[in-house]
Amino acid sequence: MTGKKYLVDQAATLLKFAKATTNPDVAAGLLSKAADLSAKSEEAPDPSPQAPEVEQPES
């Protein structure tokens, strides 16, 4: 499964391309894809680094 950060970064890239193009049809398509990725990012897991579980030695 794709991570949240990846999807957000991809959506941001598509938004940059949409702003850079002069073709309104291309811009609309890129904005639509960016919106899809943004919606998916809200459902995606956020793989935050977590410390491994360690057993404490008995004294």
Side-chain angles (χ1 to χ4, degrees), residues 1-48:
M1 178 169 256
T2 306
K4 184 174 190 158
K5 181 176 176 355
Y6 175 80
L7 292 171
V8 170
D9 289 346
Q10 294 301 306
T13 300
L14 290 176
L15 290 175
K16 287 178 187 176
F17 287 149
K19 288 175 78 174
T21 187
T22 57
N23 184 325
D25 293 331
V26 172
L30 292 170
L31 290 174
S32 175
K33 287 295 183 182
D36 290 345
L37 289 174
S38 181
K40 284 183 182 180
S41 74
E42 294 174 8
E43 301 170 0
D46 188 12
S48 303

Side-chain angles (χ1 to χ4, degrees), residues 48-56:
S48 303
Q50 297 182 2
E53 292 189 26
V54 178
E55 291 184 29
Q56 296 295 327

